[in-house]
Amino acid sequence: RQCIAAEGTLALNNLVRQFRSRFSDEIRFLSDLKRQPKAVGAIWPTGQIMARRMASIVNPSSGLPVLELGPGTGVITHAILERGLQPGLLHAVEYSASFASELRLRFPSIHVHQGDAFNLQETLGKHADLRFDCAVSALPLLNFPVAMRETLIGDLLSRMSPGRPLIQFSYGPFAPVPARAGQWSVERYDFVLRNIPPARLCSPSTTPCRL
């Protein structure tokens, strides 16, 4: 009986460890959501399907760095690296100090910039003058005034190669930023139903709009 009880305890402990490992991202996410609801702006971490769709705009063969905004637990970060991008070419801007620390541990070869994405010149520091291939944003833009969103989009596009896109998700029914004639277009990129909650992907770029 003691042997059976010991084996049962061991199995239970293994199950608990597996549960913690599997849902560690979700646990960290919910903890940060409680502390900083406006900064997180979602009710659950980005799903893998949406992460892969967002990472699909990355062109690893360009040789240029990629800018990721709001990486959170690193689900999209992982998808970007799976595309074949060299880790040293990825620059991730994360507002949360706890998420930034976790990202540095999980992805030691990428550049993690802890700071405000709405002030990239300061947050990127010595890397502020880099020209990026594209930008992948999981920022909760709907939490901010439209003027701030538009200023951010204009700043991001100015840091990228002409014609290259940035991708942004939103839980709202429309793109979080409107197109601006002569400055940028907004393309409907995808609607990911298999995400919690379902999300729309839009892609502002300086290329002609393809709605």
Side-chain angles (χ1 to χ4, degrees), residues 92-98 100-101 104 112-116 123:
V93 174
E94 175 54 53
Y95 183 80
S96 165
S98 60
S101 296
R104 292 187 180 104
V112 178
H113 308 273
Q114 196 266 311
D116 188 357
T123 301

mmCIF file of all heavy atoms in Angstrom, residues 92-98 100-101 104 112-116 123:
data_model
loop_
_atom_site.group_PDB
_atom_site.id
_atom_site.type_symbol
_atom_site.label_atom_id
_atom_site.label_comp_id
_atom_site.label_asym_id
_atom_site.label_seq_id
_atom_site.Cartn_x
_atom_site.Cartn_y
_atom_site.Cartn_z
ATOM 1 N N ALA A 92 12.743 43.502 -29.660
ATOM 2 C CA ALA A 92 11.444 43.437 -29.018
ATOM 3 C C ALA A 92 11.304 44.555 -27.993
ATOM 4 O O ALA A 92 12.163 44.713 -27.123
ATOM 5 C CB ALA A 92 11.252 42.076 -28.344
ATOM 6 N N VAL A 93 10.228 45.318 -28.104
ATOM 7 C CA VAL A 93 9.965 46.426 -27.181
ATOM 8 C C VAL A 93 8.821 46.021 -26.261
ATOM 9 O O VAL A 93 7.698 45.804 -26.709
ATOM 10 C CB VAL A 93 9.597 47.714 -27.943
ATOM 11 C CG1 VAL A 93 9.171 48.814 -26.973
ATOM 12 C CG2 VAL A 93 10.772 48.183 -28.791
ATOM 13 N N GLU A 94 9.114 45.906 -24.984
ATOM 14 C CA GLU A 94 8.129 45.456 -23.997
ATOM 15 C C GLU A 94 8.026 46.457 -22.853
ATOM 16 O O GLU A 94 9.027 46.806 -22.239
ATOM 17 C CB GLU A 94 8.511 44.074 -23.456
ATOM 18 C CG GLU A 94 7.630 43.549 -22.342
ATOM 19 C CD GLU A 94 6.166 43.544 -22.695
ATOM 20 O OE1 GLU A 94 5.805 42.983 -23.746
ATOM 21 O OE2 GLU A 94 5.378 44.124 -21.916
ATOM 22 N N TYR A 95 6.802 46.912 -22.568
ATOM 23 C CA TYR A 95 6.574 47.895 -21.506
ATOM 24 C C TYR A 95 6.719 47.280 -20.114
ATOM 25 O O TYR A 95 7.261 47.904 -19.209
ATOM 26 C CB TYR A 95 5.176 48.499 -21.673
ATOM 27 C CG TYR A 95 4.861 49.583 -20.672
ATOM 28 C CD1 TYR A 95 5.334 50.876 -20.860
ATOM 29 C CD2 TYR A 95 4.091 49.309 -19.547
ATOM 30 C CE1 TYR A 95 5.047 51.882 -19.943
ATOM 31 C CE2 TYR A 95 3.803 50.309 -18.620
ATOM 32 C CZ TYR A 95 4.282 51.589 -18.833
ATOM 33 O OH TYR A 95 4.008 52.576 -17.918
ATOM 34 N N SER A 96 6.236 46.049 -19.945
ATOM 35 C CA SER A 96 6.249 45.389 -18.641
ATOM 36 C C SER A 96 7.648 44.911 -18.271
ATOM 37 O O SER A 96 8.273 44.146 -19.014
ATOM 38 C CB SER A 96 5.282 44.200 -18.641
ATOM 39 O OG SER A 96 5.520 43.347 -17.545
ATOM 40 N N ALA A 97 8.128 45.325 -17.120
ATOM 41 C CA ALA A 97 9.456 44.911 -16.666
ATOM 42 C C ALA A 97 9.520 43.412 -16.422
ATOM 43 O O ALA A 97 10.532 42.761 -16.716
ATOM 44 C CB ALA A 97 9.832 45.666 -15.395
ATOM 45 N N SER A 98 8.440 42.833 -15.903
ATOM 46 C CA SER A 98 8.443 41.388 -15.629
ATOM 47 C C SER A 98 8.457 40.583 -16.917
ATOM 48 O O SER A 98 9.183 39.588 -17.037
ATOM 49 C CB SER A 98 7.227 41.008 -14.768
ATOM 50 O OG SER A 98 6.012 41.326 -15.428
ATOM 51 N N ALA A 100 9.636 41.655 -19.772
ATOM 52 C CA ALA A 100 10.949 41.886 -20.385
ATOM 53 C C ALA A 100 12.005 40.969 -19.774
ATOM 54 O O ALA A 100 12.848 40.401 -20.486
ATOM 55 C CB ALA A 100 11.357 43.348 -20.222
ATOM 56 N N SER A 101 11.970 40.792 -18.465
ATOM 57 C CA SER A 101 12.921 39.905 -17.791
ATOM 58 C C SER A 101 12.751 38.463 -18.248
ATOM 59 O O SER A 101 13.734 37.758 -18.497
ATOM 60 C CB SER A 101 12.734 39.996 -16.267
ATOM 61 O OG SER A 101 13.042 41.286 -15.798
ATOM 62 N N ARG A 104 14.162 37.982 -21.787
ATOM 63 C CA ARG A 104 15.627 37.904 -21.817
ATOM 64 C C ARG A 104 16.116 36.515 -21.410
ATOM 65 O O ARG A 104 17.118 36.022 -21.935
ATOM 66 C CB ARG A 104 16.229 38.971 -20.898
ATOM 67 C CG ARG A 104 16.019 40.389 -21.397
ATOM 68 C CD ARG A 104 16.778 41.407 -20.553
ATOM 69 N NE ARG A 104 16.577 42.764 -21.043
ATOM 70 C CZ ARG A 104 15.779 43.649 -20.465
ATOM 71 N NH1 ARG A 104 15.143 43.318 -19.342
ATOM 72 N NH2 ARG A 104 15.625 44.856 -20.969
ATOM 73 N N VAL A 112 16.055 42.861 -26.256
ATOM 74 C CA VAL A 112 14.838 43.215 -25.525
ATOM 75 C C VAL A 112 14.995 44.631 -24.986
ATOM 76 O O VAL A 112 15.914 44.912 -24.220
ATOM 77 C CB VAL A 112 14.558 42.231 -24.374
ATOM 78 C CG1 VAL A 112 13.305 42.669 -23.598
ATOM 79 C CG2 VAL A 112 14.379 40.813 -24.905
ATOM 80 N N HIS A 113 14.082 45.520 -25.398
ATOM 81 C CA HIS A 113 14.106 46.909 -24.950
ATOM 82 C C HIS A 113 12.907 47.136 -24.035
ATOM 83 O O HIS A 113 11.760 47.085 -24.498
ATOM 84 C CB HIS A 113 14.035 47.867 -26.139
ATOM 85 C CG HIS A 113 15.053 47.598 -27.207
ATOM 86 N ND1 HIS A 113 16.331 48.137 -27.168
ATOM 87 C CD2 HIS A 113 14.999 46.826 -28.327
ATOM 88 C CE1 HIS A 113 17.004 47.726 -28.235
ATOM 89 N NE2 HIS A 113 16.221 46.930 -28.949
ATOM 90 N N GLN A 114 13.161 47.339 -22.768
ATOM 91 C CA GLN A 114 12.062 47.560 -21.828
ATOM 92 C C GLN A 114 11.750 49.050 -21.786
ATOM 93 O O GLN A 114 12.577 49.877 -21.392
ATOM 94 C CB GLN A 114 12.446 47.049 -20.436
ATOM 95 C CG GLN A 114 11.259 46.888 -19.496
ATOM 96 C CD GLN A 114 11.010 48.088 -18.630
ATOM 97 O OE1 GLN A 114 11.950 48.595 -18.010
ATOM 98 N NE2 GLN A 114 9.778 48.560 -18.569
ATOM 99 N N GLY A 115 10.536 49.407 -22.242
ATOM 100 C CA GLY A 115 10.183 50.817 -22.287
ATOM 101 C C GLY A 115 8.921 51.051 -23.077
ATOM 102 O O GLY A 115 8.171 50.126 -23.394
ATOM 103 N N ASP A 116 8.686 52.305 -23.423
ATOM 104 C CA ASP A 116 7.447 52.762 -24.051
ATOM 105 C C ASP A 116 7.555 52.709 -25.573
ATOM 106 O O ASP A 116 8.407 53.363 -26.171
ATOM 107 C CB ASP A 116 7.158 54.199 -23.591
ATOM 108 C CG ASP A 116 5.797 54.697 -24.017
ATOM 109 O OD1 ASP A 116 5.070 53.970 -24.717
ATOM 110 O OD2 ASP A 116 5.452 55.840 -23.638
ATOM 111 N N THR A 123 13.362 54.590 -26.269
ATOM 112 C CA THR A 123 13.344 53.186 -25.857
ATOM 113 C C THR A 123 14.372 52.350 -26.603
ATOM 114 O O THR A 123 15.020 51.479 -26.013
ATOM 115 C CB THR A 123 11.932 52.586 -26.059
ATOM 116 O OG1 THR A 123 10.993 53.340 -25.275
ATOM 117 C CG2 THR A 123 11.886 51.137 -25.628
#
